[in-house]
Amino acid sequence: MSPTSTPFSAELRAASKEAHQGAESESYISALVAGDLDRAGYTALVVQHHVIYEALESAAEAMRHDPVAGPFVDDALTRLPALAADLEFLLGADWRRRIEPTPATVSYAGRLGEVCTTSPERFVAHHYTRYLGDLSGGLHIGRSLARHYGLTGDAGAAFYRFDRITDPKAYKDAYRARLDDLPLDGAGRAALRAEVLVAYRHNTEVLAALSGFVPAAATEPAA
């Protein structure tokens, strides 16, 4: 990267700004953060997350030693144990028999399985979209859940706690530096940028599929 060129991480952020805003504006997220959902409405998101992270973290194991993708694989980010604990709290010990992903989630997990074990740059795109979001807006959501739904980090909202990351900002800065230093040519970077938009599209579709849990009163404009 030349001294005057735009860092790749900044390119990614700019390229995905509109898609990011679209995902954040979904009515489900607004209702979740405002405390307007019931327990079933919140639990539905945890179910989708488990399916998504099962696919993503399976790919991470396959990519752990890849020269491009491997530096991003970090056990401090792993979410599956936390999601399993959350689902056991929310649904009981038999939670595995009771969960059912939406078609949008099945499609998202399918995309992860399709590209994330064969394309390092596409793996990084999905890894970046999920985990940097978790360490940014996700932390805010976790605090809102604790306040509105009476969930502590160890009881239903462990997904939003990163006990092994003491300084999220420093971690994100280091992550972006790794993005800037990726050993990819122009085509590889273009593929990564394009896949970030695919990831945001899938995330938005997952949230849209949960809109049925949003109470009608939460979507009505104020008088």
Side-chain angles (χ1 to χ4, degrees), residues 176-220:
R176 293 188 182 101
R178 286 196 294 277
L179 289 171
D180 295 338
D181 293 337
L182 273 169
L184 294 174
D185 59 16
R189 292 191 173 207
L192 199 161
R193 279 194 300 270
E195 194 65 25
V196 164
L197 297 182
V198 172
Y200 272 113
R201 175 173 59 78
H202 279 294
N203 277 286
T204 302
E205 290 171 354
V206 168
L207 295 172
L210 299 178
S211 62
F213 289 99
V214 179
T219 61
E220 294 173 356

Side-chain angles (χ1 to χ4, degrees), residues 105-147:
T105 297
V106 172
S107 177
Y108 188 3
R111 179 65 179 180
L112 293 169
E114 176 187 355
V115 304
C116 286
T117 59
T118 58
S119 171
E121 59 269 28
R122 288 178 174 83
F123 167 79
V124 173
H126 287 280
H127 193 277
Y128 159 79
T129 303
R130 285 298 336 171
Y131 292 112
L132 247 62
D134 296 335
L135 286 170
S136 299
L139 295 180
H140 168 65
I141 290 173
R143 289 189 290 269
S144 296
L145 290 172
R147 183 169 65 253

Side-chain angles (χ1 to χ4, degrees), residues 35-222:
D36 291 330
L37 301 177
D38 59 16
R39 185 185 179 106
Y42 165 62
T43 301
L45 179 62
V46 186
V47 170
Q48 313 317 309
H49 277 163
H50 187 273
V51 174
I52 292 163
Y53 282 87
E54 192 168 42
L56 182 57
E57 293 179 1
S58 174
E61 285 305 310
M63 286 292 184
R64 187 177 289 273
H65 302 295
D66 182 87
V68 172
F72 293 88
V73 178
D74 183 356
D75 292 338
L77 293 171
T78 302
R79 298 291 84 202
L80 268 182
L83 287 164
D86 288 342
L87 287 169
E88 183 166 355
F89 174 82
L90 293 164
L91 294 175
D94 64 341
W95 63 268
R96 290 186 184 276
R97 292 194 303 103
R98 301 175 59 187
I99 63 174
E100 184 174 350
T102 67
T105 297
V106 172
S107 177
Y108 188 3
R111 179 65 179 180
L112 293 169
E114 176 187 355
V115 304
C116 286
T117 59
T118 58
S119 171
E121 59 269 28
R122 288 178 174 83
F123 167 79
V124 173
H126 287 280
H127 193 277
Y128 159 79
T129 303
R130 285 298 336 171
Y131 292 112
L132 247 62
D134 296 335
L135 286 170
S136 299
L139 295 180
H140 168 65
I141 290 173
R143 289 189 290 269
S144 296
L145 290 172
R147 183 169 65 253
H148 292 302
Y149 301 97
L151 300 171
T152 69
D154 294 322
F159 171 77
Y160 298 98
R161 280 185 56 183
F162 289 83
D163 293 336
R164 295 172 60 182
I165 298 176
T166 56
D167 187 339
K169 181 184 183 303
Y171 190 96
K172 290 187 292 182
D173 287 345
Y175 191 107
R176 293 188 182 101
R178 286 196 294 277
L179 289 171
D180 295 338
D181 293 337
L182 273 169
L184 294 174
D185 59 16
R189 292 191 173 207
L192 199 161
R193 279 194 300 270
E195 194 65 25
V196 164
L197 297 182
V198 172
Y200 272 113
R201 175 173 59 78
H202 279 294
N203 277 286
T204 302
E205 290 171 354
V206 168
L207 295 172
L210 299 178
S211 62
F213 289 99
V214 179
T219 61
E220 294 173 356

